[in-house]
Amino acid sequence: MDDGQEAVLAMYSRECSAELLGRLVGSNCFVERPLAPEVIEAAERESELLYITAPELPDIEIVVDYYVRLTAKSEDAIARIKKNIVVLALDNSEPLWLSQKLVGEAAKQERLFIAEWVSERHKSGKKVVLHTFEPSEMTEQIAHELRLQPDQASSRTIEIGSKYSAKRIFRACGIRTPTSTKECHSLQDLASEIATLLGQEADSWKVLLKLSSTLYGAGQGNALVDMRALIDKYCGELDGARVLGYLNEGNVDVVDKKLGWKGFVQEMSRAGVIAERYVEAKHKSSPSAQGRVTKDGSVVLTSIHEQRFAANEQTYIGSFYPVRQDYRKRIEHLFERIAHKAFDEGHVGPISVDFLCVRAASTAEWEVLPIEINNRLTGTAHSFRIVTSLLTQDGRTGFCVSGEPRVYLASDAIYKPEYVGLRPAEVIGAIAASEIHYNDDNKKGVILYMLSGLAFGKCGAVAIGSSERDCTIMQEGIYKILDDLAAAKAKGMGRKGLR
């Protein structure tokens, strides 16, 4: 971020499928993920921040105070910084985009407040910067009314982030990627394409189905199909009709269980779908590179993370930084080529590329395969910004404090059902009183985020340490502290029940 920014309007509208937002428990928490880095950055610069959210965040004054105190050293400085930070909450908990909530009639007073806040700063000669999550026509409309420019790519380039467009760009760059089909909009076409794909890939047994539209992210639009039984039955002689008969609820593992196979098929006509050869290997990792394409076509790489996934290998839950050194250079090179091609197609702004790295043995060479493009912020962005702000380093080649390395482990899924109902204030208090709380002197420790998710038993955290083992121990410490809080609360409720 540019230290010359005097005021920030933060409006992070995650514009995925409305139906998906309705199915995801705690989807309103998406809006809160960047709150921690925004407040920490504002505290570091002592600049003004207006952060828009919906619905109201619990214990928000305590949460903001927690982030400010991570680096502020005096009570006077803390009070001065907090006066410059406003969190404006819309009274709307519906599963809608933040931008949709903001343009609604019920948010008329909030829109007036935002307009006045921006206007006052313009009149005083201050620069106001709009921070957003992804390309969006609705966000651009709001920005135009405020005479601001979103920091994301133009909505005209949304299609670049689709699964099929990413494959097309990789091929145009001459870069090897897992074999895939064209974009299909019917189950019949998909079955025919899968038959052709498997006929070309004699050693493949599984295919990964991906809803192509950018409305689906974090693996929620994916489904895995093991075709081995069908291939064995027909000795590899497949056609569209045979594959079509095999594609059913019992043979397709849809990541989004609430959507299910029936819903997945219905989404095909709107979102499009591709089938991709599922790559199996003894050693496999999923790094992601983040950067930005400037207006003159320059490509700036900001970070490369090792992504962490749930047991289904599809759902993103966190990341580790930095990436392995034995394939970092190749990822840098491929990322630059892909980003330049995206610029040729009109993209300017944040961009990330997800990769799959595989090898057959620990001594073998890694094969590096790009698999998806995101022309927006990704799940790794907020934790990286937290750490770069606290360590006051750009982090492109790693972090170092007094000659000692710093790495970090971030998780969006610190979760147990027993944590449902814990309050942000009590969790902050318990972590702050522990040995794993972030220490700004040695630049180590835990920082919490997405604390409104505790209503559903979940929060996020980034652990900064000198090794991955350090970070893992700290993450285990978070669970221990939350376990104790949950147990104490359950015990207290039990005593009430006996009265």
Side-chain angles (χ1 to χ4, degrees):
M1 295 292 164
D2 180 4
D3 287 342
Q5 295 175 0
E6 295 182 85
V8 170
L9 171 60
M11 191 176 68
Y12 291 96
S13 182
R14 177 66 179 104
E15 305 196 353
C16 55
S17 160
E19 293 82 6
L20 177 59
L21 285 176
R23 291 192 300 271
L24 286 176
V25 175
S27 61
N28 281 319
C29 300
F30 286 145
V31 180
E32 191 200 344
R33 285 200 301 185
L35 175 65
E38 287 288 1
V39 172
I40 295 168
E41 288 169 6
E44 282 291 308
R45 295 190 304 261
E46 292 204 24
S47 59
E48 292 184 280
L49 168 66
L50 174 57
Y51 195 98
I52 314 301
T53 186
E56 185 175 352
L57 302 177
D59 300 336
I60 186 58
E61 292 185 2
I62 293 172
V63 171
V64 170
D65 182 80
Y66 164 63
Y67 294 138
V68 170
R69 289 179 183 275
L70 291 173
T71 57
K73 301 300 183 184
S74 72
E75 292 299 323
D76 286 345
I78 291 167
R80 185 172 64 249
I81 290 166
K82 285 162 63 175
K83 284 182 180 179
N84 290 330
I85 297 172
V86 178
V87 178
L88 179 64
L90 312 183
D91 184 18
N92 190 332
S93 58
E94 293 296 312
L96 300 170
W97 304 342
L98 180 61
S99 59
Q100 290 174 323
K101 296 177 181 181
L102 196 55
V103 300
E105 183 61 28
K108 183 177 180 180
Q109 292 301 316
E110 287 83 356
R111 288 198 305 275
L112 287 173
F113 178 89
I114 294 168
E116 290 174 5
W117 187 90
V118 172
S119 177
E120 287 173 3
R121 277 135 195 88
H122 280 161
K123 288 177 181 177
S124 67
K126 287 187 176 181
K127 179 182 178 183
V128 179
V129 180
L130 176 60
H131 289 176
T132 58
F133 187 83
E134 62 185 306
S136 158
E137 289 185 16
M138 198 168 289
T139 298
E140 287 170 356
Q141 175 189 331
I142 296 170
H144 177 74
E145 293 172 357
L146 294 171
R147 295 190 296 130
L148 298 176
Q149 180 65 41
D151 59 349
Q152 297 294 313
S154 166
S155 61
R156 296 189 301 272
T157 65
I158 288 175
E159 184 60 25
I160 289 174
S162 73
K163 307 301 186 293
Y164 180 71
S165 290
K167 293 290 188 175
R168 177 180 53 76
I169 289 173
F170 300 153
R171 288 192 291 268
C173 293
I175 299 173
R176 176 172 158 77
T177 181
T179 312
S180 61
T181 67
K182 69 177 185 180
E183 186 175 277
C184 302
H185 291 269
S186 73
L187 188 56
Q188 290 76 14
D189 285 349
L190 177 64
S192 179
E193 287 290 314
I194 290 175
T196 301
L197 176 68
L198 292 175
Q200 297 168 345
E201 301 281 341
D203 59 341
S204 294
W205 305 94
K206 296 180 181 179
V207 292
L208 188 60
L209 309 182
K210 297 180 176 181
L211 293 173
S212 184
S213 170
T214 59
L215 291 172
Y216 291 87
Q220 290 298 312
N222 293 0
L224 185 64
V225 191
D226 189 333
M227 307 292 295
R228 185 185 298 268
L230 187 67
I231 292 171
D232 289 346
K233 180 178 180 179
Y234 293 106
C235 301
E237 297 295 323
L238 300 184
D239 58 26
R242 287 170 176 172
V243 174
L244 181 61
Y246 188 78
L247 295 176
N248 57 55
E249 194 79 46
N251 294 322
V252 182
D253 184 12
V254 180
V255 170
D256 184 350
K257 303 304 181 187
K258 293 181 181 179
L259 178 67
W261 176 239
K262 183 178 179 180
F264 192 95
V265 173
Q266 291 173 344
E267 284 296 297
M268 288 182 191
S269 60
R270 178 178 68 162
V273 63
I274 66 169
E276 177 183 280
R277 178 176 68 90
Y278 183 77
V279 180
E280 301 202 66
K282 187 174 182 180
H283 301 270
K284 186 189 299 189
S285 65
S286 301
S288 180
Q290 293 74 41
R292 189 177 189 88
V293 182
T294 65
K295 291 181 179 179
D296 65 1
S298 300
V299 175
V300 179
L301 176 68
T302 54
S303 63
I304 311 175
H305 293 77
E306 298 284 359
Q307 297 184 97
R308 298 289 193 255
F309 292 91
N312 61 17
E313 298 185 4
Q314 306 299 318
T315 306
Y316 174 85
I317 58 172
S319 63
F320 176 76
Y321 185 86
V323 74
R324 291 179 65 114
Q325 294 303 304
D326 42 3
Y327 46 62
R328 179 175 64 85
K329 286 291 186 183
R330 275 177 289 168
I331 289 176
E332 290 178 357
H333 174 66
L334 293 175
F335 174 82
E336 185 169 351
R337 289 171 60 188
I338 293 164
H340 277 302
K341 180 59 180 173
F343 174 76
D344 291 343
E345 299 197 6
H347 178 84
V348 173
I351 187 169
S352 72
V353 180
D354 292 341
F355 293 86
L356 183 64
C357 296
V358 295
R359 62 181 179 180
S362 59
T363 56
E365 185 77 9
W366 285 98
E367 184 176 18
V368 180
L369 307 166
I371 53 174
E372 293 182 9
I373 294 174
N374 291 302
N375 55 343
R376 55 169 171 79
L377 297 183
T378 63
T380 62
H382 48 282
S383 54
F384 185 72
R385 285 175 62 192
I386 289 171
V387 178
T388 53
S389 297
L390 292 173
L391 272 60
T392 60
Q393 299 174 26
D394 64 24
R396 278 174 288 184
T397 56
F399 298 103
C400 190
V401 175
S402 301
E404 184 180 64
R406 288 293 179 272
V407 302
Y408 71 83
L409 180 63
S411 174
D412 286 359
I414 303 294
Y415 169 78
K416 284 186 182 181
E418 294 83 359
Y419 301 161
V420 172
L422 291 179
R423 298 286 302 186
E426 62 184 326
V427 172
I428 287 171
I431 293 291
S434 73
E435 294 182 353
I436 63 173
H437 177 57
Y438 175 75
N439 183 327
D440 199 45
D441 293 328
N442 64 14
K443 308 291 184 182
K444 288 183 179 182
V446 165
I447 303 97
L448 303 167
Y449 59 85
M450 209 165 68
L451 287 157
S452 62
L454 288 167
F456 311 98
K458 182 169 74 170
C459 68
V462 56
I464 307 171
S466 55
S467 68
E468 185 171 4
R469 178 61 181 157
D470 277 355
C471 297
T472 301
I473 291 172
M474 279 187 263
Q475 193 174 91
E476 291 169 353
I478 299 170
Y479 276 101
K480 176 65 169 63
I481 289 169
L482 296 188
D483 285 348
D484 290 345
L485 285 174
K489 177 160 284 193
K491 188 174 181 180
M493 291 177 66
R495 285 176 177 170
K496 285 184 181 179
L498 293 174
R499 291 175 184 174

